[in-house]
Every structure is written in structure tokens, then in C-alpha cells.
């Protein structure tokens, strides 16, 4: 399977981050996390790109995203996969992201309002899983919902210290973990909240 790395970088560079924001639009060009309300943030662009590239997306894959937020990351995932199943627990963010992504004419995104900490079992398994909030530990439900040969990117740790991890499930179903970066995300609410 051919890597889409170049195409993802090119697409990402032409994305208008301000479209996914309701306020602070003038700050959208800066490489920093910005508030989007409800104690949530839109991640810094370089980190969004790093996390997306780490997933090694392919056009025929099904992706689970925990934390729709503004929809910025969702749009990037949807442009390079067959389908995205995205979960957001805050109703207003969920509604706004749904509206924005509809305006961009995405037809392959499935939205759910609710607690994403235990994944979305109904449509599992997933080839790729993107978690955009920090869990105290890697949720076992997400490991179970990850397809053989699948990859997950997840921040893990406390509210003060987190590691961005790449989790891979090999052909025997064995889990391998790679540390990608030190990060600071809002906490994943629900079962795996610290």
C-alpha cells in the first residue's frame, strides 16, 4: 500500500484552520493550540499533522476518532480514508462540527454525540484510531476495537505530563507501543479520566 504522506502534507497546507473556529480567527495562522469554548482546544497545526502522519492512512481504511472538537482533525482524516466515525461529548461542538463538515461536502463521516472513552463498538473493528484527548491509561476497549494490523495514536498521562503514543497491533494481535512526543491535551472524559 502506497503512503499518502505527500498528499496529506499538501492538503494540510491548504486547509483554512480559521474555518473551524468561532473566535480568535486572526490567531489561526499561528502554530499553537487555541480555545474553542467548553474548556476545549483546537490543537496546534504541527501536532495535528504529526498525529495524522503517524497513523499512516490509506484510502480503504475505517477510522475512529475520539473527540471531534472543531472538526479540523476530522476533515483531515476524512480526506484520506474511506470512512470516519467520530465521537464528541459536548453537544454544541458536535453540532458545529457536523455543520462545518457538511459545508465541506464530506459524505464519509459518521457522527455520534456521547462518551467516546469506550470507543464505538457497533462499527468496530477500526483500521485506525485517533484519540485527541489524554487518557490516564490506554482504554482496553480501544485495543479490542483496533483491527489486526491497525494503528492508534493516543496521548496518555496526567493533566501535567503526557506521552503521545503510537499503538500498533501486529498480525498475531500483539500490541507494540512507540513514544512519539511529549504533549499536553485536555483530559479524555469518562471511564479513563484521571
Amino acid at each position: 500500500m502506497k503512503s499518502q504522506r505527500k498528499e496529506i502534507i499538501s492538503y494540510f497546507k491548504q486547509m483554512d484552520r480559521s474555518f473551524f473556529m468561532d473566535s480568535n480567527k486572526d490567531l489561526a495562522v499561528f502554530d499553537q493550540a487555541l480555545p474553542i469554548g467548553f474548556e476545549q482546544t483546537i490543537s496546534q497545526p504541527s501536532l495535528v499533522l504529526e498525529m495524522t502522519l503517524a497513523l499512516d492512512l490509506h484510502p480503504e481504511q475505517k477510522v475512529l476518532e475520539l473527540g471531534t472538537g472543531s472538526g479540523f482533525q476530522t476533515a483531515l482524516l476524512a480526506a484520506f480514508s474511506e470512512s470516519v466515525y467520530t465521537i464528541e461529548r459536548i453537544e454544541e461542538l458536535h453540532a458545529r462540527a457536523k455543520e462545518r463538515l457538511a459545508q465541506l461536502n464530506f459524505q464519509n463521516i459518521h457522527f455520534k454525540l456521547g462518551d467516546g472513552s469506550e470507543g464505538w463498538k457497533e462499527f468496530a473493528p477500526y483500521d485506525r484510531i485517533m484519540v485527541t484527548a489524554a487518557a490516564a491509561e490506554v482504554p482496553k476497549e480501544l485495543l479490542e476495537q483496533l483491527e489486526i494490523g491497525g494503528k492508534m495514536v493516543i496521548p496518555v498521562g496526567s493533566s501535567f505530563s503526557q506521552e503521545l503514543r503510537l499503538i500498533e497491533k501486529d498480525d498475531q494481535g500483539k500490541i507494540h507501543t512507540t513514544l512519539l512526543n511529549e504533549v499536553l491535551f485536555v483530559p479524555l472524559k469518562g471511564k479513563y479520566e484521571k
Side-chain angles (χ1 to χ4, degrees), residues 6-16 49 76:
K6 281 183 186 164
E7 292 85 348
I8 290 170
I9 293 169
S10 173
Y11 183 88
F12 176 80
K13 283 180 177 172
Q14 58 83 37
M15 285 180 82
D16 177 10
L49 181 60
L76 191 56

Side-chain angles (χ1 to χ4, degrees), residues 11-169:
Y11 183 88
F12 176 80
K13 283 180 177 172
Q14 58 83 37
M15 285 180 82
D16 177 10
R17 189 177 180 223
S18 69
F19 175 75
F20 298 90
M21 299 165 63
D22 294 310
S23 60
N24 300 310
K25 285 178 177 279
D26 55 323
L27 301 176
V29 294
F30 296 105
D31 191 32
Q32 63 188 61
L34 294 166
I36 55 170
F38 312 96
E39 298 178 359
Q40 303 299 299
T41 59
I42 183 171
S43 295
Q44 67 188 78
S46 60
L47 188 54
V48 170
L49 181 60
E50 179 189 353
M51 290 171 72
T52 305
L53 292 174
L55 275 187
D56 185 30
L57 294 168
H58 294 278
E60 70 289 348
Q61 289 173 337
K62 181 164 58 167
V63 181
L64 173 65
E65 179 191 38
L66 303 191
T68 316
S70 66
F72 182 59
Q73 175 77 77
T74 318
L76 191 56
L77 295 172
F80 293 95
S81 61
E82 186 176 289
S83 55
V84 175
Y85 292 78
T86 185
I87 309 172
E88 175 56 55
R89 65 181 183 82
I90 298 167
E91 193 167 358
E92 204 166 325
L93 292 180
H94 164 81
R96 284 183 202 163
K98 208 171 177 178
E99 198 177 291
R100 284 186 190 113
L101 293 161
Q103 284 177 47
L104 295 174
N105 296 315
F106 282 107
Q107 306 289 313
N108 62 336
I109 303 172
H110 308 270
F111 298 88
K112 181 179 180 181
L113 176 65
D115 175 9
S117 65
E118 296 180 59
W120 196 345
K121 200 171 181 180
E122 187 184 348
F123 298 101
Y126 301 95
D127 303 296
R128 300 290 186 262
I129 298 177
M130 172 70 80
V131 185
T132 62
E137 61 187 271
V138 179
K140 66 175 177 24
E141 292 87 350
L142 298 186
L143 293 174
E144 287 164 4
Q145 291 172 36
L146 187 62
E147 180 66 275
I148 292 288
K151 297 182 183 188
M152 168 169 47
V153 171
I154 180 171
V156 181
S158 69
S159 52
F160 308 106
S161 171
Q162 299 160 12
E163 295 177 347
L164 186 63
R165 297 180 189 174
L166 172 65
I167 312 279
E168 299 177 84
K169 188 184 275 192

Side-chain angles (χ1 to χ4, degrees), residues 162-194:
Q162 299 160 12
E163 295 177 347
L164 186 63
R165 297 180 189 174
L166 172 65
I167 312 279
E168 299 177 84
K169 188 184 275 192
D170 70 18
D171 295 344
Q172 282 75 46
K174 195 166 182 270
I175 299 298
H176 304 271
T177 303
T178 307
L179 172 62
L180 298 177
N181 211 333
E182 298 291 328
V183 292
L184 202 56
F185 277 82
V186 295
L188 179 67
K189 301 287 185 185
K191 187 174 176 182
Y192 292 90
E193 198 174 343
K194 200 160 201 166

